[in-house]
Amino acid sequence: GHIVRNWKVRWFVLLQDKLLYYKIEGGKKDPSPKGRILLDGCTITCPCLEYENRPLLIKLKTKTNTDYFLECCSREERDSWALDITGAIHAGHPVQVQELHRMKNSFKLLENISLHHIVERMCDSSTGIKLTHNLGQGNRYKETFTGSALVDWLISNSFAVSRFEAITLASMLMEENFIKPVGARSTEATRYSDLSEQFLDDSTALYMFAESSKKNISSKEELQFNISELSGTIVKQGFLVKQGHKRKNWKVRRFVLRADPAFLHYYDPTKEENRPIGGFSLRGCLVSALEDNGVPAGVKGNVQGNLFKIITKNDIHYYIQASSKAERTQWIEAIKPLT
């Protein structure tokens, strides 16, 4: 309400240039509208996070700077209304309407997105994600947030344009151990082999910052690389898929092979900073192709083939996938002379 700031149930009707709302009496709407919101020059904010305890809000600001806060019954309904209202606002611009629907149904993460930057913004005391105490399966968890709250926050802070993109981004945060699931609902989902199903856009799925995020630095950032090992001549570089050592999942990494001194470093292509997140000396290493008809015991998850293995002199095993047999052969032939 504009005068008394309370919340009232209203029946809404969206027209091409305006949004009408009606009072409900005895389960029926009045014949005449209670009010209208002119959409010409209107701006829409969805999700709107101005009310901490009302996550299902849409905010409309009219051309005359009047604010309307509309609360829906579910996230699906909220997003559907927001898309249709936005389409009506841009009704005179069919190209923009087509672009809105394309964005809603497409997948394209921001270029050069930095997970570290996202976590820093999440941890901000004023604009970051709100941490609350939540109950799950009878247990009380401190400083947690729900999966749907994180998806809303990522969209409202322009890190993603759709819920699908935000879920993918949240999955990456979990994959890189910035956030972790807590409680039965979210931890059970991590048992799925498909990464896209591991993070839940759900108001009952709980998550919290991992220990590395609380320190606002990940364990990978603590890796220190000697300047000399990065000074060698670049022999070969390109994108390969590497299996993680802890979670045994597969991640795209940019590999750089250097000689004099001989090192193989790998970089996270989603991070802005141009520094390796891992690497090792090639002296004393063994490199070999792995045949597609047999997957070694140390390899888990989705294996597309074209595997090869590098064993360091400290007996650390690296499993790597190339995009083709030819590419795998090229990498092995480039690495072998440097071992």
Side-chain angles (χ1 to χ4, degrees), residues 223 225 229-230 242 255-256 263-267 276-282 312 316 318:
L223 290 170
F225 294 94
E229 71 182 67
L230 297 172
K242 172 187 165 294
F255 280 80
V256 177
F263 275 86
L264 184 63
H265 293 101
Y266 48 94
Y267 299 72
I277 59 171
F280 51 90
S281 170
L282 291 173
T312 69
I316 298 174
Y318 290 86

Side-chain angles (χ1 to χ4, degrees), residues 78-113:
R78 179 198 66 187
D79 294 345
S80 177
W81 270 100
L83 186 70
D84 290 337
I85 293 171
T86 306
I89 291 172
H90 298 294
H93 306 279
V95 174
Q96 286 182 276
V97 176
Q98 290 176 5
E99 180 67 10
L100 283 166
H101 285 275
R102 186 197 64 77
M103 287 168 59
K104 180 176 180 288
N105 299 307
S106 68
F107 169 66
K108 186 177 184 296
L109 285 175
L110 297 174
E111 294 182 5
N112 300 319
I113 199 162

Side-chain angles (χ1 to χ4, degrees), residues 49 52 118-132 143-154 156-157 173 179 199 207-209:
L49 305 182
E52 196 173 318
I118 293 174
V119 173
E120 286 178 3
R121 290 278 300 276
M122 287 175 66
C123 293
D124 189 280
S125 58
S126 58
T127 61
I129 192 164
K130 304 301 180 186
L131 302 180
T132 58
E143 295 189 330
T144 59
F145 47 87
T146 66
S148 52
L150 177 55
V151 169
D152 284 349
W153 185 90
L154 290 169
S156 67
N157 284 271
L173 290 170
I179 64 174
F199 180 87
Y207 299 88
M208 66 186 304
F209 288 113

Side-chain angles (χ1 to χ4, degrees), residues 135-136 145-148 182-186 200-207:
L135 286 173
F145 47 87
T146 66
S148 52
V182 290
R185 182 83 174 89
S186 55
L200 298 178
D201 178 10
D202 192 301
S203 59
T204 63
L206 301 180
Y207 299 88

Side-chain angles (χ1 to χ4, degrees), residues 154-190:
L154 290 169
I155 295 172
S156 67
N157 284 271
S158 302
F159 289 115
V161 298
S162 68
R163 301 196 80 77
F164 181 62
E165 283 188 17
I167 291 167
T168 304
L169 201 50
S171 298
M172 293 168 65
L173 290 170
M174 189 167 66
E175 190 75 7
E176 297 293 343
N177 201 34
F178 288 109
I179 64 174
K180 64 180 182 180
V182 290
R185 182 83 174 89
S186 55
T187 53
E188 184 180 345
T190 60

